[in-house]
Amino acid sequence: MSVSDTAVAVAAVRRHATPLVRDAVPADYPAIRHVIIAAYRQYAGLIAPDIFSPYLADLLDLDTHARNGRLIVVEADGRISGFGAFYPDASVQGLGWPPGWASGRALAVHPDARGHGIARALLAATERLARQAGAPVFAFHTASFMTDAIALYGRLGFRRAPEFDFDMAAHYGGTSAAPITAFAYLHQLAPAHAACA
């Protein structure tokens, strides 16, 4: 079942726009890469280039994300404004998640579209897919320097799971001595049939 078949449309703060969440197709890849680069460029000066470059390359590796999961986009005002990868088996990411958990990866919202429900729509869609897949937990990481994202996840009720944090500097092979923590967040999920009841 595709994301669009689940009727995932979320009302935006802007009256004239209703974000539409759908599965991505290869023709969307240039727009997705544009959104990821625009969303993450603000962090380029916060971490060492030998960490940021492989981190960004990982986020932009749409072929790997598609091979291991599903690519989801959000369209608003006729253009792709958000992106996220859904992994039905979080463990394939190699980031310490247990087998059977689902996860999100590379969540990105174009800076021009922030504050209009794009991230909420992406997270709602990926959680819906996780429930449909029968995953007991939906989990993801965000970097410690992404303070706006951290605030959003708290408002949405995601629970911190520090036992699954990891050091981005070590993971991406940086020579920097200072660790950079990737914060783990999760939601315990009710089974899909229970969520609908």
Side-chain angles (χ1 to χ4, degrees):
M1 176 178 276
S2 77
V3 173
S4 57
D5 288 343
T6 64
V8 181
V10 176
V13 172
R14 296 176 294 174
R15 266 195 184 135
H16 64 279
T18 301
L20 171 69
V21 181
R22 64 173 176 81
D23 288 304
V25 296
D28 295 326
Y29 285 17
I32 292 169
R33 288 187 176 103
H34 172 76
V35 167
I36 293 170
I37 290 168
Y40 285 85
R41 89 170 45 122
Q42 70 190 36
Y43 307 119
L46 299 179
I47 58 177
D50 63 336
I51 300 166
F52 183 76
S53 292
Y55 173 53
L56 184 62
D58 182 23
L59 299 173
L60 292 167
D61 188 356
L62 303 181
D63 293 331
T64 296
H65 297 318
R67 199 169 36 254
N68 292 303
R70 290 171 67 171
L71 308 183
I72 302 166
V73 294
V74 180
E75 288 185 2
D77 293 332
R79 70 183 180 111
I80 292 174
S81 298
F83 165 75
F86 169 72
Y87 279 70
D89 180 2
S91 68
V92 301
Q93 293 181 39
L95 300 174
W97 299 123
W101 286 16
S103 69
R105 188 80 186 271
L107 178 73
V109 176
H110 195 283
D112 295 343
R114 290 181 181 154
H116 299 286
I118 305 296
R120 287 175 189 260
L122 282 166
L123 289 166
T126 52
E127 282 202 45
R128 185 174 295 105
L129 291 170
R131 283 187 182 93
Q132 291 171 352
V137 173
F138 175 71
F140 57 89
H141 288 98
T142 195
S144 57
F145 50 81
M146 296 182 182
T147 55
D148 290 342
I150 289 167
L152 172 66
Y153 302 144
R155 287 192 306 272
L156 294 177
F158 286 94
R159 181 177 68 79
R160 276 280 289 120
E163 65 273 26
F164 295 106
D165 289 356
F166 71 92
D167 177 9
M168 290 176 58
H171 180 76
Y172 289 106
T175 57
S176 171
I180 302 168
T181 305
F183 289 162
Y185 285 87
L186 57 83
H187 257 173
Q188 299 287 334
L189 301 177
H193 65 277
C196 297

